[in-house]
């Protein structure tokens, strides 16, 4: 959940929930989805000493329209931005959480 996209510094709230009586889901609240996901992945890596993996699918539609939506409203492809945040935060590729997109 994006609370306020205009907020540049905000906390990250993570809650565990059980949906439909059987699915364990982590819910994140932050100003930036890619930054929140990257922070969670780095925390999981540091806490478990295992490299986490995250899976995305590409957004359907025109790539230029997706770019404009991201540029104008801060909405768009999360996968490449999450990967870039992780790349900047962890320079060693062998220690970096894995981002899969298909």
């Amino acid at each position: 959940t994006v609370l306020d996209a205009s907020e540049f510094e905000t906390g990250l709230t993570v809650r565990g929930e059980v949906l439909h009586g059987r699915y364990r889901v982590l819910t994140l609240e932050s100003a930036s989805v890619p930054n929140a996901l990257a922070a969670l992945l780095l925390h999981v890596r540091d806490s478990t000493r295992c490299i986490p993996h995250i899976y995305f699918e590409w957004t359907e539609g025109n790539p230029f329209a997706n770019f404009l939506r991201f540029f104008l409203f801060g909405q768009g492809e999360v996968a490449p931005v999450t990967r870039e945040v992780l790349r900047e935060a962890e320079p060693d590729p062998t220690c970096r959480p894995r981002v899969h997109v298909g």
Side-chain angles (χ1 to χ4, degrees):
T1 304
V2 176
L3 298 176
D4 182 1
S6 66
E7 184 71 38
F8 292 106
E9 283 189 36
T10 184
L12 172 62
T13 304
V14 181
R15 279 192 314 269
E17 300 180 47
V18 177
L19 299 178
H20 308 289
R22 62 188 241 189
Y23 299 106
R24 294 178 181 175
V25 177
L26 292 177
T27 303
L28 305 167
E29 291 180 354
S30 178
S32 169
V33 173
N35 291 6
L37 292 172
L40 177 65
L41 291 170
L42 292 170
H43 177 74
V44 167
R45 179 203 61 187
D46 295 343
S47 298
T48 63
R49 300 194 194 289
C50 294
I51 303 294
H53 294 245
I54 189 165
Y55 297 85
F56 295 97
E57 64 180 30
W58 292 116
T59 302
E60 292 294 322
N62 183 312
F64 185 71
N66 287 338
F67 167 75
L68 283 178
R69 189 172 59 234
F70 180 77
F71 184 73
L72 296 174
F73 306 110
Q75 301 172 346
E77 288 293 344
V78 174
V81 179
T82 302
R83 185 195 174 279
E84 184 60 22
V85 170
L86 287 168
R87 191 184 67 76
E88 288 185 21
E90 176 54 69
D92 182 359
T94 62
C95 296
R96 191 179 304 146
R98 307 293 190 260
V99 177
H100 305 274
V101 185

